[in-house]
Amino acid sequence: MNKKYWMTGMLALLLVFSAGCGEKPAAAPSETEPSQETAAMLPEEPQEQPETPNDTNEPSEQNSPDTSATNVNSGAGGDNSPETGSEDVTSTPADSNKANITLYYTDPEMLGVKQSSREITYTDEQDKYKKTFEALQQSDDADLKPLWSEAITLRSIGLDGGELTIDISKPAEANLGAGGEMYALDALRQTFFQFEEVQAIELLLEGEKVESLMGHVELEHPMNRNP
């Protein structure tokens, strides 16, 4: 009998113990989920904004047309043609006058005076006389020999009141014999008297009047067209 009561008491204790153990404890906060206070203390991470290319709203400077040069050109009547400098303008040649003149030479044996013609180009009247004298010193024809050597230097030449003054410098090698000196003076007269404006020729040697050019023939001062 006592054993029965004892067993009954033990069962009751077990029921009470099991009832106490059956209550579920409150769930502990999860370590993986931060509390509201912790979340409030953390700085908010900025949200990444999608990048917008610059050329979607504003055209880039590289792609925008440069209208400044166009406006400058169009402001003057729309003439966009490039300006040409003064060097592009075709200038008139200085030697714009031409003339066919008669010249006088001698033959290789120096037996007389021979006539020829040539075209000269000159700028003015003084240059015409200069080019004429230079033509007397040159010949492309083997049968025509100049009586005025290229060794002779023309110092000056000019016309004043119908008188043509010719000043020369002559080395000894340019001297001729008596016949050659006479032919040279005759060639000079006939060549320059073809110009109607020339009425007399004054021939000077080193700026001085001399009695004879080469020592054989008397030199007139001046040599007139109509002696």
Side-chain angles (χ1 to χ4, degrees), residues 168-185:
I168 64 171
S169 176
K170 177 185 63 63
E173 64 188 67
N175 287 337
L176 301 172
E181 182 178 0
M182 183 178 62
Y183 294 152
L185 293 176

Side-chain angles (χ1 to χ4, degrees), residues 186-205:
D186 188 29
L188 188 71
R189 289 190 190 95
Q190 294 193 63
T191 297
F192 283 101
F193 282 150
Q194 70 181 300
F195 304 123
E196 295 181 357
E197 67 274 16
V198 178
Q199 299 299 317
I201 301 172
E202 181 63 78
L203 182 61
L204 304 177
L205 183 61

Side-chain angles (χ1 to χ4, degrees), residues 4 23 69 74 106 109 114 145 174 181-182 203 212:
K4 183 177 180 181
E23 295 180 3
S74 60
T106 189
E109 288 77 21
K114 303 295 182 181
K145 181 180 178 180
E181 182 178 0
M182 183 178 62
L203 182 61
S212 178

